[in-house]
Amino acid sequence: GAHRPVLHVLLREGARIRDSREVDAEVEMLLARSETWRLVSFYTLNQEVADPPALARALEASWAPLGILGRTYVAKEGVNAQLAVPELVVPLLRAQVAHMDALKGARVNVDSHPVPRVHGMEEGQEDEGQPFKSLHVRTRDQVVADGGLEG
């Protein structure tokens, strides 16, 4: 399921994991140790996404536990993602993208300039440097506005 690509990366990195609770604990540790955000983008076009709402739900369910923020649009033609990813979680995101049939061929672009990440904020406080405030994965008629009219 959703843990398989994450588990593969964690095991490759030397984690000793026996069950899904330990996967969650490893992810929590990576989130706590990530001092910076990495801005990540990718898109796929002409993928023929069979069920955009289902893919949007799957992406949100996979990414929210990884502390990923940003905006992603899903349409029948493909996916367009602009994300802020805790630095130590980037390999997990790459593994998830590579594992999902609907995202085949997506080239994951990671900005070379990290953005500082603030830990231990009080509820209601905002990190002014945080690139996004939340994760939004939404369906759209098109993922890229090309100015063309269908009809």
Side-chain angles (χ1 to χ4, degrees):
H3 277 320
R4 189 177 323 136
V6 169
L7 179 62
H8 178 75
V9 171
L10 293 174
L11 291 173
R12 189 176 63 219
E13 298 296 321
R16 289 177 170 54
I17 295 173
R18 290 180 296 277
D19 62 35
S20 64
R21 287 187 312 269
E22 291 182 0
V23 171
D24 296 337
E26 284 289 322
V27 169
E28 287 296 320
M29 185 210 38
L30 292 174
L31 289 173
R33 289 183 32 222
S34 289
E35 297 295 325
T36 60
W37 295 102
R38 289 303 192 135
L39 300 180
V40 175
S41 64
F42 69 86
Y43 66 91
T44 63
L45 290 176
N46 303 318
Q47 290 294 90
E48 271 310 306
V49 174
D51 188 347
L55 179 58
R57 287 189 302 274
L59 293 175
E60 192 156 5
S62 296
W63 294 346
L66 299 181
I68 295 172
L69 305 176
R71 290 183 203 96
T72 300
Y73 301 116
V74 181
K76 285 205 173 283
E77 70 184 2
V79 177
N80 182 355
Q82 307 294 319
L83 306 170
V85 182
E87 183 169 31
L88 297 177
V89 174
V90 170
L92 306 182
L93 173 67
R94 284 184 186 276
Q96 286 185 336
V97 169
H99 185 259
M100 298 184 83
D101 288 340
L103 303 179
K104 288 281 190 248
R107 194 170 130 240
V108 177
N109 303 300
V110 180
D111 191 347
S112 60
H113 302 290
V115 176
R117 188 167 176 251
V118 177
H119 292 279
M121 303 206 44
E122 302 276 328
E123 188 165 334
Q125 281 185 304
E126 289 187 18
D127 174 1
E128 295 300 319
Q130 186 171 301
F132 297 97
K133 295 187 186 329
S134 58
L135 175 63
H136 296 283
V137 183
R138 298 190 173 117
T139 57
R140 292 281 191 259
D141 291 334
Q142 293 181 294
V143 293
V144 176
D146 62 9
L149 298 175
E150 292 195 12

